[in-house]
Amino acid sequence: MQKDLYICFLDCVKAFDRVQHKTLIEMLELLDISLDGKEIDLIADLYWSQQACIRIDGTFSKWITVERGLRQGCNMSPDLFARYADRIMRVVKELDGVHIGSVNINNILYADDTTLIADSEAKLQNLLNVVVVESERKGLSINRQKSMCMVIAKSSVTPYHSKWGQT
C-alpha cells in the first residue's frame, strides 16, 4: 500500500479486575447477539451475588459485596471482557485508521489486548485520545509504562513517541 503504519499496543491496568458489573450487564442487554433475558439474569446473578471477606488467623473480616471484576478461571471471562472492550471501541469505529480497499481498520482486539492502527501520527493520536477517555469512563485505565507505540515505515523515520493526554 506504500503507506507508513503507526501502531499502538495498549495495556490495561488489571483489565479483568476493573470490569464494572453494572456496566457489563447493561452492555450485554444492548448487544445484538442471541442472549435472552434469562441468560443475562444468570450472568448478573453470577457476578452480582458475589461477596468476600478476609480470614486472618481464624478471624473473619466484615463481608463486602464485590461490584467489579471478572472471575479468574471462568470460561466466560475472556468473552465477557471482549464484549466489554468492543463496546468501548465502538466510539472509534468511524475514526480514520488504515483504509484497505474500502474498509477502515483502526483497532484489533484480542481478550484484554488492544492494538490501535493508523496511517499517520495525528490519526493514531486521535484514536489514542478517544480510547483513553472512553476506557476511563468504563472503569479501565491504560498502563502507560507497558503500552508501546511503533512505526512501520517504508522509509527511514524518527521514532514515534505518543503525546499522552493531548486532546
Side-chain angles (χ1 to χ4, degrees), residues 18 20 23 27 84 88 133-140:
R18 302 292 170 111
Q20 300 167 346
T23 305
M27 288 177 173
Y84 196 80
I88 292 170
V133 168
E134 187 64 16
S135 294
E136 288 174 354
R137 285 185 57 231
K138 299 291 192 273
L140 301 179

Side-chain angles (χ1 to χ4, degrees), residues 43-62:
I43 294 169
D45 287 344
L46 177 68
Y47 283 98
W48 281 347
S49 300
Q50 293 184 76
Q51 290 193 335
C53 73
I54 300 172
R55 182 178 70 184
I56 302 173
D57 293 331
T59 303
F60 290 91
S61 70
K62 178 182 166 188

Side-chain angles (χ1 to χ4, degrees), residues 7-13 15 88-89 107-110 112-116 124 127-132 135 141-144 146-149 162 164:
I7 303 170
C8 188
F9 303 95
L10 299 178
D11 181 77
C12 289
V13 177
I88 292 170
M89 297 308 292
N107 71 83
I108 299 171
L109 300 174
Y110 180 75
D112 64 336
D113 295 320
T114 302
T115 303
L116 302 177
L124 183 63
L127 288 167
L128 184 57
N129 292 342
V130 172
V131 168
V132 166
S135 294
S141 56
I142 306 299
N143 184 335
R144 295 178 185 199
K146 290 186 177 180
S147 297
M148 299 288 168
C149 294
S162 171
W164 286 97

Side-chain angles (χ1 to χ4, degrees), residues 15-16 19 70 76-86 111-112 140:
F16 278 46
V19 171
L70 296 173
M76 286 191 307
S77 293
D79 189 47
L80 290 172
F81 185 83
R83 298 195 186 280
Y84 196 80
D86 181 63
D112 64 336
L140 301 179

